[in-house]
Amino acid sequence: MSTAPAATSSSAKATLAGKYLTVVLEDEAYGIAVLKVREIIRMQKITPVPQLPGFVKGVINLRGRVIPVVDLRVKFGLEAVFGERTCIVVVQVKLPSEQIVQMGLIVDSVEEVATLTDEEIEPTPDFGAKVDTTYLLGMAKVKGQVKTLLDIDRVVAPETVQAIVAAAE
């Protein structure tokens, strides 16, 4: 199994080609590398855990394992809304300590698995110093739509992930 360096420039763009699960938040589509996705489950009761950031909804019991759940809508500054297609995408997140943990991401819906080529992926635009784009891998053009590719290991700040894991254990 190779460990490709994180893509931070257009020269590293080739490492971004591959399969992405596209999910929807509000009317925007986001891509998550398929290799990070473990499963997609329907919404279920989430047990709240006190003293965690607002975007962390709590934990679920998934076949005997306690999995922290993050609401991506809240994380991205959107209103928390649950619809009939709202689901939880269970992903593997790598902590700075190299520990791999599973985490649930609440999304509005799942679209498809898209295979992206180098030509379909553009580097993340420069929004200026005040906008943190470290959690973005790039922007993909798929069937005339732009999809934001997420670096799932960075979407939730590593220190927050470690706090969630500690609280869940």
Side-chain angles (χ1 to χ4, degrees), residues 7 19 21 27 42-43 59-60 63-64 73-74 77 79 84 87 90 92 96 113 121 129 134 144-147 150 152:
K19 293 182 184 278
L21 175 70
D27 293 324
R42 61 179 172 72
M43 270 310 281
V59 296
I60 59 171
R63 292 183 294 285
R73 288 182 68 94
V74 176
E79 181 183 351
E84 65 181 50
C87 59
V90 179
Q92 286 188 312
V113 173
I121 301 172
T134 57
Q145 292 184 313
V146 175
K147 299 183 189 288
L150 300 176
I152 215 63

Side-chain angles (χ1 to χ4, degrees), residues 68-128:
V69 179
V70 169
D71 189 335
L72 278 187
R73 288 182 68 94
V74 176
K75 174 66 179 165
F76 292 166
L78 303 170
E79 181 183 351
V81 176
F82 299 98
E84 65 181 50
R85 297 188 63 202
T86 301
C87 59
I88 299 173
V89 177
V90 179
V91 296
Q92 286 188 312
V93 178
K94 183 189 277 186
L95 302 179
S97 66
E98 299 298 311
Q99 178 186 6
I100 305 285
V101 297
Q102 287 192 349
M103 177 172 292
L105 305 174
I106 300 173
V107 298
D108 291 354
S109 64
V110 172
E111 274 188 333
E112 64 181 345
V113 173
T115 301
L116 301 177
T117 63
D118 295 339
E119 294 77 33
E120 293 172 308
I121 301 172
E122 296 286 328
T124 304
D126 184 9
F127 293 104

Side-chain angles (χ1 to χ4, degrees), residues 129-151:
K130 292 184 179 181
V131 178
D132 179 17
T133 58
T134 57
Y135 62 91
L136 301 179
L137 292 173
M139 308 300 277
K141 294 173 285 191
V142 182
K143 299 174 190 166
Q145 292 184 313
V146 175
K147 299 183 189 288
T148 304
L149 303 181
L150 300 176
D151 182 344

Side-chain angles (χ1 to χ4, degrees), residues 11-77:
S11 64
K13 187 168 66 169
T15 62
L16 297 179
K19 293 182 184 278
Y20 289 83
L21 175 70
T22 58
V23 300
V24 176
L25 297 175
E26 208 149 270
D27 293 324
E28 296 299 320
Y30 297 88
I32 301 170
V34 164
L35 293 176
K36 294 285 188 179
V37 177
R38 290 294 136 240
E39 62 186 296
I40 301 163
I41 59 176
R42 61 179 172 72
M43 270 310 281
Q44 55 188 274
K45 182 179 178 338
I46 299 171
T47 304
V49 177
Q51 299 185 359
L52 289 178
F55 60 87
V56 181
K57 293 302 172 192
V59 296
I60 59 171
N61 181 341
L62 185 62
R63 292 183 294 285
R65 296 196 63 199
V66 176
I67 308 286
V69 179
V70 169
D71 189 335
L72 278 187
R73 288 182 68 94
V74 176
K75 174 66 179 165
F76 292 166

